[in-house]
Amino acid sequence: MMIKKLWCLTALLWLSVFPIVAQNEYVVGYCSNELPADMKPVSLSEQEMRMSAAIRLPANKLMRYKGCQLTKIRFAVMEGFENVSVWVRTSLDTSSKVIQSVPEVVTGWNEVTLNRPLPIDGDDLYIGYTATQPASFWGILAYGEGNEYTSWLAIGNEWNDYHDHGLGILFIQGVVEGTAYDNDLAMMDLTVDQNVFTPEESVQLKGTVVNTGTNPIEGLQLHVSIDDGETETLALNALLLPEQTASFSHTLPLESLEEGRHEVVVSVDAGEAGDLNADNDVLRVPIYIYTSSYPRMMLLEHFTSLLCVNCPPVDRMLEEVVEERTDVAWVTHHVGYREDEFTLETSRNLTRFGVNGNPYIMVDRTLLGSNETPAFTIGTYTVEELEQNVFDYAASLPAFLQLDAIAHAEQNVLTIDVEGEGKPWFTELFPKATLHIFLVEDQVKSSRPQAGDPDKTIHDNITRAFVTPARGVLPTWDENAHFTYQTTFDLQSGWNQNHMRVVAFVVAQADADTNYPTGKVLNATQAKITTDVPAAIATVETEGEPEWYNVQGMKCTAPATRGIYIQKGNTTKKLFIP
């Protein structure tokens, strides 16, 4: 890269607005209209290439222009770019909402009137240009100190934020036409410290108000409520100039709220000045109240190998910790250090959780204590510390979903049924939660002894297969936050079905910022493989419609899929539904 450090100019860190030509026409961007005399052009490469430059206009900065139209794009470059086009996108990795070629480019400002104006509708907008940069050509113009919105460049389609590389604010602007309001306050953002609470807790609110009008406003107030109920008024003693913001925080008790979904509602009031646009005055954030949760089964993922000389002591520690527990599903992944005969190719992706060797463990794929990644080594833990600080703590976290699994083998075909039931609001809180199923075998003999323990050749918790794809599957939930899932799997002839079990778990959607393969585990279950069809406990005639339950006692609809169910009528019986 050939980004050169530029002379510094005070950055316009928020969206700058410059009225031009007519009262109802506004330029939006971050740069000034004047090109500094000492500005130096920038190049991304000495080679000829296709490149792009863009700025980001976030939705909360475009509030005042909602209902207006983007009619022009302005950009400043050096003459010499070829095959230039300007465009507008809602994100850098999607197709353009507007794209238009620029027949001729001059040094300095170029202004393109769009053949098809773009309505401002509340989305983020990226405004930019794409061009062919000749070899040894320095033509990108930028200045000052940029920020996360101002300095996006790409070679081909590989975008990067270059403001941390010494690139300043790109000279790119959009021209908006329409009517802006003289007095207009808007709620820019509203966040809560967490999503789920007990009625005894309080929610910590943080938010930002912005003056999106053209006049200064003072004496503004905030009105805070839950579910549009009793309102608490907060005064913000601030004078807000146009485009200025004011931040606030507030603690809101949740006492007396019933279990279920609620909304924190915050609205802004301009006071005596009056607010001419009420459409952007209110923001709502959902929160969820629970008074009970489901029993949690923890997923213990243990990263080990036959060649790890330090692993046997950790094995013994884990065995001691889980010996008396019934709430741990233990699986091993033989990756992270010198792979062996038990290594699965699919397991390698899990090292992205922070596995830098063996032995490592991960409990529910979540951060525990002071660990920097979900996976961590436990060589410095005592058994008591491991039990209290890791397993007891993880077990104490509330679970809002319960799972049940049944695994039945006929010859070498395994049929797996998984059932889940969550709180009524579970699918709203976790709309992209995915189901994962491992096939695990115990009492497996290895071809060589364990390093560090020459007497150990029998191993438990061996992950034999990822039954579902590594990314999981999206369950089909009904209106009661309930799902059933069935799949089949061909067992290998060398596996001992009597020593095998399935481990099923549901995880939250992965956070793109962490680069972890999945989110945290929301709950897990495990079941041994059965080979016999269970007989009914009792067979009697039942008057009326019987009630149906799964094997863990959850009420369900009449079974439509294969599995083990409990039918309750005049008497109770356990049935296998083929």
Side-chain angles (χ1 to χ4, degrees):
M1 297 299 174
M2 304 191 67
I3 294 292
K4 297 180 68 177
K5 186 171 180 62
L6 306 177
W7 294 99
C8 293
L9 183 71
T10 301
L12 302 173
L13 294 182
W14 297 113
L15 186 65
S16 302
V17 181
F18 306 100
I20 64 169
V21 182
Q23 189 173 0
N24 67 337
E25 191 171 75
Y26 305 88
V27 170
V28 292
Y30 304 94
C31 61
S32 67
N33 287 325
E34 300 298 326
L35 301 181
D38 59 351
M39 182 172 54
K40 298 179 182 179
V42 173
S43 173
L44 279 175
S45 172
E46 289 283 7
Q47 307 299 318
E48 179 179 305
M49 64 172 187
R50 194 69 174 160
M51 59 79 59
S52 300
I55 62 170
R56 177 191 171 194
L57 304 175
N60 55 28
K61 293 296 185 180
L62 293 173
M63 282 183 182
R64 66 175 297 186
Y65 305 110
K66 192 170 182 179
C68 300
Q69 291 185 320
L70 181 70
T71 59
K72 300 175 184 177
I73 293 176
R74 306 178 77 229
F75 65 99
V77 294
M78 299 297 292
E79 181 179 357
F81 277 119
E82 301 170 352
N83 304 316
V84 181
S85 61
V86 294
W87 44 260
V88 185
R89 303 173 186 171
T90 54
S91 71
L92 292 175
D93 57 0
T94 58
S95 58
S96 300
K97 296 175 74 72
V98 173
I99 186 169
Q100 192 164 316
S101 63
V102 184
E104 183 179 357
V105 173
V106 299
T107 294
W109 282 107
N110 296 262
E111 185 172 279
V112 181
T113 300
L114 300 179
N115 296 328
R116 183 167 57 88
L118 180 68
I120 306 296
D121 58 6
D123 289 333
D124 284 10
L125 293 181
Y126 287 83
I127 298 177
Y129 60 85
T130 297
T132 298
Q133 175 185 286
S136 303
F137 174 70
W138 298 62
I140 304 169
L141 294 183
Y143 207 83
E145 296 180 3
N147 59 54
E148 59 185 307
Y149 303 107
T150 65
S151 316
W152 290 88
L153 296 176
I155 298 177
N157 293 317
E158 295 294 324
W159 286 96
N160 285 288
D161 179 1
Y162 277 90
H163 89 272
D164 286 335
H165 296 258
L167 183 71
I169 303 167
L170 289 167
F171 282 90
I172 301 175
Q173 299 174 338
V175 178
V176 174
E177 292 188 18
T179 301
Y181 296 93
D182 293 336
N183 293 347
D184 185 18
L185 287 176
M187 289 293 303
M188 178 186 291
D189 59 64
L190 177 64
T191 61
V192 293
D193 57 329
Q194 61 190 59
N195 299 108
V196 186
F197 302 86
T198 66
E200 293 75 30
E201 295 179 293
S202 297
V203 56
Q204 305 296 321
L205 306 179
K206 289 185 178 181
T208 308
V209 178
V210 58
N211 183 354
T212 56
T214 58
N215 292 334
I217 296 179
E218 62 180 339
L220 59 119
Q221 296 178 326
L222 296 172
H223 305 296
V224 183
S225 69
I226 295 179
D227 300 331
D228 294 309
E230 183 177 348
T231 299
E232 183 177 358
T233 299
L234 311 174
L236 285 183
N237 297 317
L239 171 65
L240 285 188
L241 300 176
E243 298 301 327
Q244 278 192 333
T245 62
S247 298
F248 66 89
S249 60
H250 183 62
T251 300
L252 190 63
L254 301 174
E255 56 191 11
S256 77
L257 286 184
E258 295 181 353
E259 186 170 51
R261 182 189 190 277
H262 299 271
E263 282 188 335
V264 175
V265 186
V266 179
S267 63
V268 64
D269 180 353
E272 294 181 0
D275 193 328
L276 300 177
N277 177 24
D279 291 342
N280 53 18
D281 289 351
V282 182
L283 284 181
R284 300 170 179 269
V285 176
I287 60 172
Y288 306 91
I289 301 297
Y290 74 96
T291 56
S292 63
S293 59
Y294 298 110
R296 175 178 288 279
M297 175 166 284
M298 292 169 283
L299 175 68
L300 166 60
E301 293 178 276
H302 179 197
F303 296 86
T304 185
S305 76
L306 297 177
L307 304 171
C308 168
V309 69
N310 295 318
C311 285
V314 169
D315 293 350
R316 290 189 286 270
M317 286 180 63
L318 291 174
E319 288 167 0
E320 185 173 348
V321 168
V322 305
E323 183 178 12
E324 301 297 327
R325 304 189 76 111
T326 60
D327 58 354
V328 178
W330 184 354
V331 302
T332 61
H333 304 294
H334 283 240
V335 292
Y337 170 77
R338 300 181 66 184
E339 298 172 354
D340 59 38
E341 64 197 78
F342 299 133
T343 298
L344 295 180
E345 181 179 354
T346 320
S347 295
R348 296 187 183 115
N349 191 45
L350 299 181
T351 60
R352 289 166 50 199
F353 280 108
V355 179
N356 294 312
N358 293 148
Y360 270 68
I361 70 166
M362 180 164 57
V363 178
D364 284 342
R365 301 186 178 181
T366 191
L367 291 173
L368 298 173
S370 60
N371 298 307
E372 296 181 353
T373 60
F376 57 97
T377 183
I378 59 174
T380 60
Y381 281 76
T382 65
V383 170
E384 292 75 18
E385 290 172 337
L386 187 60
E387 184 166 10
Q388 294 174 10
N389 298 341
V390 176
F391 288 90
D392 286 349
Y393 171 74
S396 71
L397 299 177
F400 307 114
L401 167 76
Q402 63 177 351
L403 296 172
D404 179 31
I406 298 170
H408 180 75
E410 293 183 7
Q411 297 181 344
N412 286 327
V413 177
L414 177 65
T415 300
I416 302 171
D417 292 276
V418 182
E419 183 175 11
E421 182 174 282
K423 293 288 187 178
W425 37 262
F426 179 86
T427 54
E428 181 178 341
L429 185 58
F430 301 106
K432 295 186 178 180
T434 50
L435 171 66
H436 301 250
I437 303 174
F438 290 159
L439 185 58
V440 182
E441 185 176 1
D442 298 316
Q443 297 295 296
V444 182
K445 184 175 177 60
S446 60
S447 61
R448 54 155 294 166
Q450 169 73 52
D453 188 352
D455 295 329
K456 184 175 181 178
T457 58
I458 303 299
H459 303 268
D460 293 329
N461 313 306
I462 300 296
T463 304
R464 285 302 198 184
F466 285 52
V467 176
T468 51
R471 65 181 181 277
V473 295
L474 284 170
T476 301
W477 301 84
D478 64 21
E479 66 276 8
N480 297 316
H482 172 271
F483 78 85
T484 58
Y485 177 82
Q486 184 181 83
T487 189
T488 58
F489 189 84
D490 293 333
L491 300 171
Q492 293 187 17
S493 58
W495 296 344
N496 188 333
Q497 298 179 17
N498 294 323
H499 294 159
M500 301 193 79
R501 54 195 160 93
V502 297
V503 174
F505 55 99
V506 169
V507 304
Q509 180 182 9
D511 182 347
D513 293 337
T514 66
N515 197 38
Y516 297 150
T518 70
K520 63 182 180 181
V521 176
L522 302 174
N523 213 342
T525 190
Q526 59 185 345
K528 291 184 177 180
I529 294 179
T530 62
T531 55
D532 297 326
V533 177
I537 297 173
T539 303
V540 296
E541 293 185 2
T542 302
E543 295 181 1
E545 292 293 328
E547 294 179 348
W548 291 91
Y549 296 82
N550 62 25
V551 293
Q552 297 224 353
M554 293 190 298
K555 192 173 181 180
C556 59
T557 58
T561 59
R562 174 190 185 95
I564 299 174
Y565 297 88
I566 297 171
Q567 186 190 76
K568 184 177 180 182
N570 290 341
T571 187
T572 299
K573 55 185 177 180
K574 188 176 183 182
L575 302 173
F576 179 80
I577 307 299

